[in-house]
Amino acid sequence: MRIYQAHIIDTPTPSSFRIFENGYVAVDDDGIVVDVWHELPLELVHRTADPSSDVRLIQLGDRLLIPAFCDMHVHAPQYRNLGLALDEELLVWLNRYTFPEEARFSSPEYAEHIYRRFVHELWMQGTMHSSVFATIHPQATDLLCRLFAEAGLSALVGLVGMDRNAPDNLLNSARDLQDYYQTHHRASSQSVFPILTPRFIPSCSPEMMRTYGQLVASYGLPVQSHLSENRSEIDWVRQLEPESVCYADAYRRYGVLGQTPTLMAHCCYSEGKELEMLRDNHVTVAHCPTSNSNLASGIAPVRTFLNEGIPVVLGTDVSAGHYMSMLRVIQYAIQVSKLHYARTEGQLPYLSLSEAFYLATKAGGQYFMQAALSEKGTGSFEAGNTFDALVIDDSYLNYDHYTLEHRLQRYIYIGDDRDIRIRFARGNQLPEPIL
Ligand code: GUN
Ligand code: FE
């Protein structure tokens, strides 16, 4: 067992930070959190002092120890477009910039070049869990899974399904999906899990959606997709699926809304019937505020979701989101919620720092645990969770009179990956992945 001493901060509940100044966290040999303390129990004081004991005390000094981040919506093949081409709204952006880039992943060499950099950046930014869209290409997707496993990072990885409204070289078929999942419905390693990934309704014909419904029923796999991101997209779905009462209903009617853990990105315009449908089908919303700002999509009603008991997690949505750091996503989540608050004359409270931090850590971990059928949670230092953590050295930002909560706030708003000294995943200190 190892015991780390540092300033430990996490959010077991959204309403406030739990802070252990010069506290202790014990991690067993399987990488599971045993307990967290303000003071080390006397028995452990003796054991850590005994050189023959198997308990080691590691003092991390005047540093912050926080849970690693969960990016619950990100497109690996869009990594090269980071920060580019954010001058259009969703549908033009997809056709003009995104589809041509994704088509390049038919080349395994190109895929390896980009995917190595993508996985390296997740490591760099301290994102130990993610839910990832790949492309339609099985070989490149297998490679991505292998790179995650080699890096020691946890991921839900989806081969993307799309059989209409895109260039021919970026289409697959219902049959391709059946073939793929016949051999890919189990975890490909200890930390990498499959997730069904219909791109969105405009990309998937009724035949493909029916196949997704069958795959959900046969294999019990989780689902991720996009929902109600942009007004033109919603109008288009209304034309494509006239029998559906709302966009979410188009997924529901094919049996891919809540039969298994379901993660829907954006939901900027989910209200009324659709909001009820998300709640009643236990859908998790992936809120992507950097993306929604960049593509002028809208502001998701996150407070309303939370009040309704709809779980919300956060995602970068790279490359509609322009940056891989979950720090930026936490910051934008708070900022867009404040703008929403001002616009709606303060009817509902905006997100607090601890709430946004919770969404980026424990809430993401809860979805991941359900989707990976795991018994171990992550995203907070509660006993029984895996120890996925970051050691932050904020000494250059620091003045004596700051509280620990203010130090964390400064790190979130103006810190970056250079401040991360150690990254732990499942109890192991992760080395930098090979580029
Ligand atoms: N809707 C369908 N595909 C995409 C995508 O790649 N990014 C975003 N932001 N929305 C989408
Ligand atoms: Fe997306």
Side-chain angles (χ1 to χ4, degrees):
M1 186 164 79
R2 281 160 300 159
I3 298 173
Y4 299 96
Q5 183 182 25
H7 304 309
I8 301 164
I9 308 179
D10 69 353
T11 43
T13 60
S15 56
S16 62
F17 288 105
R18 177 173 75 151
I19 299 177
F20 300 83
E21 184 167 0
N22 283 311
Y24 302 84
V25 55
V27 182
D28 74 14
D29 294 341
D30 297 323
I32 306 300
V33 175
V34 178
D35 213 340
V36 195
W37 302 280
H38 288 284
E39 300 286 342
L40 201 56
L42 197 59
E43 185 237 334
L44 287 172
V45 174
H46 294 312
R47 284 175 69 189
T48 52
D50 174 0
S52 69
S53 121
D54 61 351
V55 180
R56 282 208 302 136
L57 177 65
I58 297 131
Q59 288 171 319
L60 297 167
D62 185 28
R63 290 172 170 167
L64 310 180
L65 181 66
I66 62 173
F69 296 113
C70 300
D71 181 349
M72 298 313 288
H73 184 82
V74 59
H75 298 260
Q78 298 174 16
Y79 182 66
R80 206 181 76 135
N81 282 354
L82 265 180
L84 270 185
L86 297 170
D87 48 352
E88 296 289 349
E89 292 189 34
L90 174 66
L91 300 175
V92 174
W93 172 85
L94 276 174
N95 281 315
R96 195 174 291 170
Y97 306 113
T98 305
F99 290 160
E101 178 60 17
E102 290 195 15
R104 300 179 73 171
F105 286 72
S106 59
S107 155
E109 292 74 32
Y110 185 73
E112 174 152 7
H113 182 76
I114 300 299
Y115 282 164
R116 275 195 187 281
R117 279 156 183 74
F118 172 78
V119 170
H120 180 270
E121 176 126 17
L122 283 172
W123 172 87
M124 203 167 90
Q125 301 291 358
T127 302
M128 298 301 152
H129 287 74
S130 50
S131 192
V132 184
F133 282 56
T135 59
I136 62 160
H137 309 100
Q139 208 181 337
T141 305
D142 285 349
L143 179 83
L144 179 61
C145 292
R146 203 191 80 213
L147 293 172
F148 269 118
E150 285 173 6
L153 299 181
S154 296
L156 299 159
V157 177
L159 179 89
V160 173
M162 43 198 295
D163 66 348
R164 64 178 179 183
N165 296 316
D168 285 348
N169 63 356
L170 199 58
L171 297 178
N172 53 8
S173 66
R175 183 61 202 267
D176 291 335
L177 298 176
Q178 285 160 340
D179 290 347
Y180 179 81
Y181 285 103
Q182 202 155 42
T183 53
H184 288 77
H185 57 275
R186 292 205 183 84
S188 62
S189 78
Q190 238 195 336
S191 65
V192 185
F193 307 87
I195 183 164
L196 297 171
T197 306
R199 181 169 210 123
F200 66 159
I201 292 290
S203 298
C204 301
S205 69
E207 186 202 353
M208 180 169 268
M209 289 309 296
R210 276 193 289 277
T211 297
Y212 271 115
Q214 288 159 4
L215 292 169
V216 166
S218 319
Y219 299 124
L221 289 171
V223 176
Q224 62 179 350
S225 192
H226 297 94
L227 178 67
S228 297
E229 175 176 6
N230 161 291
R231 290 184 196 279
S232 311
E233 171 212 19
I234 295 167
D235 289 343
W236 195 13
V237 170
R238 209 173 281 131
Q239 291 164 28
L240 291 168
E241 292 283 336
E243 284 159 45
S244 298
V245 299
C246 60
Y247 191 164
D249 194 37
Y251 292 109
R252 190 196 61 81
R253 291 191 319 117
Y254 293 107
V256 293
L257 195 81
Q259 286 73 10
T260 53
T262 301
L263 184 56
M264 285 291 167
H266 307 303
C267 304
C268 298
Y269 298 95
S270 299
E271 53 183 31
K273 277 207 183 60
E274 181 157 287
L275 192 84
E276 286 169 24
M277 203 173 278
L278 296 181
R279 183 194 59 207
D280 296 345
N281 291 279
H282 309 288
V283 173
T284 296
V285 172
H287 176 44
C288 304
T290 52
S291 164
N292 298 157
S293 302
N294 290 331
L295 298 186
S297 300
I299 301 182
V302 171
R303 176 64 66 198
T304 307
F305 296 150
L306 296 174
N307 287 348
E308 289 290 326
I310 296 169
V312 178
V313 297
L314 296 182
T316 58
D317 194 24
V318 158
S319 67
H322 58 288
Y323 208 68
M324 290 279 291
S325 169
M326 289 302 292
L327 298 176
R328 287 295 78 72
V329 179
I330 293 171
Q331 172 207 321
Y332 268 68
I334 295 168
Q335 288 176 334
V336 302
S337 106
K338 288 177 176 172
L339 296 175
H340 185 66
Y341 165 88
R343 269 281 170 184
T344 53
E345 293 169 18
Q347 286 172 25
L348 292 172
Y350 50 77
L351 287 182
S352 69
L353 186 71
S354 67
E355 285 178 311
F357 189 82
Y358 173 91
L359 299 184
T361 54
K362 185 172 169 182
Q366 285 180 327
Y367 179 79
F368 199 98
M369 178 168 75
Q370 292 165 25
L373 300 175
S374 161
E375 278 146 28
K376 308 271 185 273
T378 182
S380 68
F381 301 128
E382 290 163 281
N385 280 358
T386 53
F387 185 63
D388 301 299
L390 308 175
V391 177
I392 309 297
D393 183 349
D394 64 340
S395 48
Y396 79 101
L397 295 172
N398 224 348
Y399 298 93
D400 288 346
H401 58 276
Y402 289 144
T403 63
L404 288 171
E405 185 165 338
H406 282 156
R407 280 174 59 178
L408 180 65
Q409 185 168 34
R410 281 167 66 80
Y411 169 64
I412 288 170
Y413 277 87
I414 64 173
D416 62 37
D417 60 279
R418 291 169 297 181
D419 311 326
I420 306 175
R421 287 291 169 276
I422 307 175
R423 295 153 178 86
F424 292 100
R426 284 167 291 137
N428 296 318
Q429 201 169 319
L430 282 192
E432 183 171 353
I434 300 161
L435 265 182

